[in-house]
Amino acid sequence: QVRLVESGGGSVQPGGSLTLSCVVLGTTHGSYCRGWFKENPGQRHEGVASIDRDGTTDYVDSVKGRFTISQDNAQNTLYLQMTNVNPEDTGMYYCAALVFNQPGQKCGSALSGNYDSAYWGRGTQVTVSS
């Protein structure tokens, strides 16, 4: 059984920093890509950052230069370091192990919704306000 468990969310003031963590428990068959996604009530699920097994990262434009995705393969843990946050960063953040049916598909394409299936965590809330 696969479980992804996020932690690290909370309330932070604009300009502040926060680091999210996600422990991946179990074997995510066929998944070489990990990512962070954000969701707010009434809005669509949107990609934030991705990282593949070789460490190649991709980010959506709104977080480039502010967020850093990383992973500790030995600990099977995914991180999202968030700096200089703003109110638009508010949302429920989910980590995911993404699966592509076609080999060689670029991990970063998952941020646009181009993946075939995924293992999801339950999310951790981030609220940015003064």
Side-chain angles (χ1 to χ4, degrees):
Q1 182 178 359
V2 177
R3 287 181 61 207
L4 285 74
V5 183
E6 302 97 337
S7 61
S11 295
V12 60
Q13 293 186 339
S17 300
L18 206 62
T19 298
L20 308 183
S21 300
C22 172
V23 178
V24 181
L25 305 171
T27 301
T28 53
H29 296 285
S31 174
Y32 56 85
C33 176
R34 304 283 188 271
W36 287 96
F37 292 75
K38 183 181 76 171
E39 188 172 300
N40 280 303
Q43 298 181 3
R44 67 180 183 87
H45 199 75
E46 57 183 297
V48 176
S50 67
I51 185 168
D52 70 13
R53 58 189 166 197
D54 297 324
T56 300
T57 58
D58 281 283
Y59 301 89
V60 294
D61 287 344
S62 61
V63 307
K64 284 180 180 177
R66 301 188 299 118
F67 290 10
T68 302
I69 187 171
S70 61
Q71 60 190 354
D72 181 337
N73 290 328
Q75 299 293 328
N76 222 12
T77 302
L78 183 70
Y79 301 97
L80 184 68
Q81 183 179 6
M82 309 168 66
T83 64
N84 193 24
V85 297
N86 59 60
E88 287 70 40
D89 297 323
T90 294
M92 184 70 81
Y93 282 73
Y94 298 88
C95 70
L98 302 144
V99 180
F100 302 96
N101 291 341
Q102 296 297 324
Q105 190 166 343
K106 189 180 178 195
C107 177
S109 66
L111 301 182
S112 302
N114 294 323
Y115 55 90
D116 294 292
S117 60
Y119 301 89
W120 295 97
R122 292 191 172 187
T124 185
Q125 177 68 35
V126 173
T127 302
V128 182
S129 69
S130 53

